[in-house]
Amino acid sequence: TLRLFAATLVLCSVIYPAVVTGFAAMTAGETRHGSVVTDSRGVAVGSKLIAQKFNMAHYFWPRPSAVDYNGSGSGGSNLSPAGPLLRTKITEEIDHLTTFSTPTSSPIPSELVYSSGSGLDPHISREGALFQVSRVAKARNVSESVVIQIIDKNIPPHLTSMISEPKYVNVLLLNLALDREITQK
C-alpha cells in the first residue's frame, strides 16, 4: 500500500505536472507569459489579451468595461436589456463618444457602447476604429488617411479573410503603432 501510495504521489505530483507544463511551454508560445506587450524601450505596457483604459483624445478608445478594466475581476455587467440602468449607461457612452468624435453618417458601432461579456475584450472592429478616426487625427494633427492606413496595417490577417467577416484590431497595439508611426514623421 505504501509503495502504491508513493508511486501515485510521484506520478500525480511530479511527473504529470512536468509533462503538462513542458507541453504547454512548447505549444503555447508567448501566451504562456500573458502575452505581454512592450514599448520601444522594452518596458511592459500591457497585455494583448486584456483591454486597458485609454481616454485621451489622441488614442483610440476600447470597448467600455463592466469591471473598469481590472483583469483580476473579469465579468459582464449583468444588466437587463429592458432595465433603465443599461439604457442610462448606453446614453452616457453615446454622449461621451459624440462629444469627442465628429458625428458621421454611420451609426455608432455597438462595441463602443456595450461592454463585452468579460469586460476585458481588447479588440474593436474596424468600423469602431473608423468612427474614432476624426478625433484621433485632429488630436495628432495629421490627416485622417494617415490614421486609416495605420488602422488597416494593424488588422491581423484572418484564416477566413476571403469571407466577408468583420475585421478586428487590438486597441493597445493600434495605439502603440500610432505613437511609433506618427512621431517618426
Side-chain angles (χ1 to χ4, degrees):
T1 304
L2 286 176
R3 276 186 267 160
L4 180 61
F5 171 74
T8 304
L9 183 67
V10 169
L11 179 68
C12 294
S13 300
V14 178
I15 296 171
Y16 177 74
V19 169
V20 170
T21 303
F23 179 75
M26 289 187 308
T27 60
E30 67 177 36
T31 59
R32 71 176 184 248
H33 296 295
S35 297
V36 175
V37 176
T38 56
D39 65 7
S40 59
R41 299 169 299 175
V43 176
V45 293
S47 169
K48 288 183 195 175
L49 305 175
I50 298 175
Q52 55 186 316
K53 189 172 193 168
F54 287 96
N55 55 9
M56 293 187 287
H58 62 280
Y59 284 123
F60 284 94
W61 298 339
R63 296 178 72 132
S65 175
V67 294
D68 199 29
Y69 305 98
N70 183 350
S72 65
S74 172
S77 68
N78 295 327
L79 296 176
S80 167
L85 187 55
L86 181 61
R87 276 183 257 145
T88 302
K89 285 186 172 283
I90 291 170
T91 303
E92 289 171 0
E93 288 296 334
I94 290 171
D95 290 345
H96 180 70
L97 286 168
T98 55
T99 299
F100 292 100
S101 295
T102 305
T104 61
S105 59
S106 61
I108 298 174
S110 61
E111 80 264 6
L112 295 179
V113 267
Y114 292 104
S115 63
S116 66
S118 69
L120 300 170
D121 186 2
H123 298 92
I124 58 173
S125 68
R126 182 177 187 274
E127 289 72 28
L130 290 176
F131 183 82
Q132 302 179 61
V133 164
S134 63
R135 172 182 43 82
V136 173
K138 183 178 177 184
R140 290 183 178 264
N141 200 23
V142 296
S143 72
E144 291 184 11
S145 63
V146 170
V147 178
I148 292 171
Q149 288 174 353
I150 294 171
I151 291 170
D152 289 337
K153 283 196 304 191
N154 284 281
I155 294 176
H158 295 284
L159 295 174
T160 59
S161 62
M162 291 184 228
I163 303 171
S164 63
E165 197 171 294
K167 307 290 187 210
Y168 290 90
V169 62
N170 185 298
V171 177
L172 173 61
L173 298 179
L174 178 58
N175 287 333
L176 288 173
L178 279 171
D179 285 345
R180 190 174 50 251
E181 294 185 32
I182 290 182
T183 53
Q184 291 177 350
K185 295 186 182 211

Coordinates of all heavy atoms in Angstrom, one line a residue, residues 5 15 20 28-29 45-46 54 65 71 73 78 89 95 98 105 118 123 132 137 140 142 150-151 166 169 171 179 181:
F5 N 1.1 4.1 -2.9 CA 0.9 5.5 -2.5 C 2.0 6.3 -3.0 O 1.8 7.4 -3.6 CB 0.7 5.6 -1.0 CG 0.7 7.0 -0.5 CD1 -0.4 7.9 -0.7 CD2 1.8 7.6 0.1 CE1 -0.4 9.2 -0.3 CE2 1.9 8.9 0.6 CZ 0.7 9.7 0.4
I15 N 5.6 13.9 -12.1 CA 5.7 13.5 -13.5 C 4.6 14.2 -14.3 O 4.8 14.8 -15.3 CB 5.7 12.0 -13.7 CG1 6.9 11.4 -13.0 CG2 5.6 11.6 -15.1 CD1 7.0 9.9 -12.9
V20 N 2.7 18.1 -18.5 CA 1.8 19.1 -18.9 C 2.4 20.5 -19.0 O 2.2 21.2 -20.0 CB 0.6 19.2 -17.9 CG1 -0.3 20.4 -18.2 CG2 -0.2 17.9 -18.0
A28 N 2.3 26.7 -26.3 CA 1.6 28.0 -26.1 C 2.4 29.2 -26.5 O 1.8 30.3 -26.6 CB 1.2 28.1 -24.6
G29 N 3.7 29.1 -26.7 CA 4.4 30.2 -27.1 C 4.4 31.4 -26.2 O 4.5 31.2 -25.0
V45 N 4.0 47.4 -21.2 CA 2.9 48.4 -21.2 C 1.5 47.8 -21.1 O 0.5 48.5 -21.0 CB 3.0 49.3 -22.4 CG1 4.2 50.2 -22.3 CG2 2.9 48.6 -23.7
G46 N 1.4 46.5 -21.2 CA 0.1 45.8 -21.1 C 0.1 44.4 -21.7 O 1.2 43.9 -21.9
F54 N -8.0 53.8 -22.2 CA -7.4 54.9 -22.9 C -8.5 56.0 -23.0 O -9.6 55.7 -23.4 CB -7.0 54.5 -24.4 CG -5.8 53.7 -24.5 CD1 -5.9 52.3 -24.6 CD2 -4.5 54.2 -24.4 CE1 -4.8 51.5 -24.7 CE2 -3.4 53.4 -24.5 CZ -3.6 52.0 -24.7
S65 N -15.9 48.9 -20.2 CA -15.6 47.8 -19.4 C -16.6 47.8 -18.2 O -16.7 48.7 -17.4 CB -14.2 47.8 -18.9 OG -14.0 46.7 -18.0
G71 N -8.2 43.2 -14.6 CA -8.0 41.9 -15.0 C -8.3 40.8 -14.0 O -8.5 39.7 -14.3
G73 N -10.8 40.8 -12.0 CA -12.3 40.7 -11.8 C -13.1 40.6 -13.1 O -13.9 41.5 -13.3
N78 N -24.2 42.2 -16.3 CA -25.5 41.5 -15.9 C -26.7 42.5 -15.8 O -27.6 42.2 -15.1 CB -25.3 40.7 -14.6 CG -24.3 39.6 -14.7 OD1 -24.2 39.0 -15.8 ND2 -23.6 39.3 -13.7
K89 N -26.6 53.8 -19.0 CA -25.2 53.7 -19.4 C -24.9 53.8 -20.9 O -24.0 54.4 -21.3 CB -24.7 52.3 -18.9 CG -24.5 52.2 -17.4 CD -23.9 50.9 -17.0 CE -23.5 50.8 -15.6 NZ -22.3 51.5 -15.3
D95 N -23.3 59.8 -25.5 CA -23.0 61.3 -25.3 C -21.5 61.5 -25.2 O -21.0 62.5 -25.8 CB -23.7 61.8 -24.0 CG -25.2 61.8 -24.1 OD1 -25.7 61.8 -25.3 OD2 -25.8 61.9 -23.1
T98 N -20.0 61.1 -28.8 CA -20.3 62.2 -29.8 C -19.8 63.5 -29.3 O -19.6 64.4 -30.1 CB -21.9 62.2 -30.0 OG1 -22.5 62.4 -28.7 CG2 -22.4 61.0 -30.7
S105 N -22.1 59.9 -40.7 CA -23.4 59.5 -41.1 C -23.7 58.0 -40.7 O -24.8 57.6 -40.7 CB -23.6 59.6 -42.7 OG -22.5 58.8 -43.3
S118 N -16.8 39.6 -20.9 CA -15.7 39.5 -19.9 C -15.4 40.9 -19.3 O -14.8 41.0 -18.3 CB -14.4 38.9 -20.5 OG -13.9 39.9 -21.4
H123 N -10.2 44.1 -28.2 CA -10.4 44.4 -29.7 C -11.6 45.3 -29.9 O -12.6 45.2 -29.2 CB -10.6 43.1 -30.5 CG -9.4 42.2 -30.4 ND1 -9.3 41.2 -29.4 CD2 -8.3 42.2 -31.1 CE1 -8.1 40.6 -29.6 NE2 -7.5 41.2 -30.6
Q132 N -13.7 56.6 -34.8 CA -12.8 57.5 -33.9 C -11.7 58.2 -34.7 O -11.0 59.0 -34.1 CB -12.2 56.6 -32.8 CG -13.2 55.9 -31.9 CD -12.5 55.1 -30.9 OE1 -11.8 55.6 -30.0 NE2 -12.7 53.8 -30.9
A137 N -7.1 61.8 -35.5 CA -6.4 62.6 -36.5 C -6.3 64.1 -36.1 O -5.2 64.7 -36.2 CB -7.0 62.5 -37.8
R140 N -3.8 64.5 -33.1 CA -2.4 64.3 -33.5 C -2.0 65.2 -34.7 O -0.8 65.1 -35.1 CB -2.2 62.8 -33.9 CG -2.3 61.9 -32.7 CD -2.0 60.4 -33.1 NE -2.1 59.6 -32.0 CZ -1.0 59.2 -31.3 NH1 0.2 59.6 -31.7 NH2 -1.1 58.4 -30.3
V142 N -2.7 65.2 -37.9 CA -2.4 64.5 -39.1 C -3.7 64.3 -39.9 O -4.8 64.5 -39.4 CB -1.7 63.2 -38.9 CG1 -0.4 63.3 -38.2 CG2 -2.6 62.2 -38.1
I150 N -2.9 53.4 -40.8 CA -2.3 52.7 -39.6 C -3.3 51.7 -39.1 O -2.9 50.6 -38.7 CB -1.9 53.7 -38.5 CG1 -0.8 54.6 -39.0 CG2 -1.6 53.0 -37.2 CD1 -0.4 55.8 -38.1
I151 N -4.6 52.0 -39.1 CA -5.6 51.0 -38.7 C -5.5 49.8 -39.6 O -5.4 48.6 -39.1 CB -7.0 51.6 -38.8 CG1 -7.2 52.7 -37.7 CG2 -8.1 50.5 -38.6 CD1 -8.5 53.5 -37.9
P166 N -16.2 40.4 -40.2 CA -15.7 41.7 -39.7 C -14.3 41.6 -39.3 O -13.8 40.5 -38.8 CB -16.7 41.9 -38.5 CG -17.4 40.7 -38.3 CD -17.3 39.8 -39.5
V169 N -9.3 44.9 -34.5 CA -8.0 45.4 -34.3 C -7.8 45.5 -32.8 O -8.7 45.9 -32.0 CB -7.7 46.8 -35.0 CG1 -8.7 47.8 -34.4 CG2 -6.3 47.3 -34.8
V171 N -6.7 47.3 -29.6 CA -6.6 48.7 -29.3 C -5.2 49.1 -28.8 O -4.6 50.1 -29.2 CB -7.7 49.2 -28.3 CG1 -7.6 50.6 -28.0 CG2 -9.1 48.9 -28.9
D179 N 1.7 55.8 -31.9 CA 2.8 56.5 -31.3 C 4.1 56.3 -32.1 O 4.9 57.2 -32.3 CB 3.1 56.0 -29.9 CG 2.0 56.6 -28.9 OD1 1.3 57.5 -29.2 OD2 1.9 56.0 -27.8
E181 N 4.5 55.4 -35.4 CA 4.5 55.8 -36.8 C 4.3 57.3 -37.0 O 4.8 57.9 -37.9 CB 3.5 55.0 -37.6 CG 3.9 53.6 -37.7 CD 2.9 52.8 -38.6 OE1 2.4 53.3 -39.6 OE2 2.8 51.6 -38.3

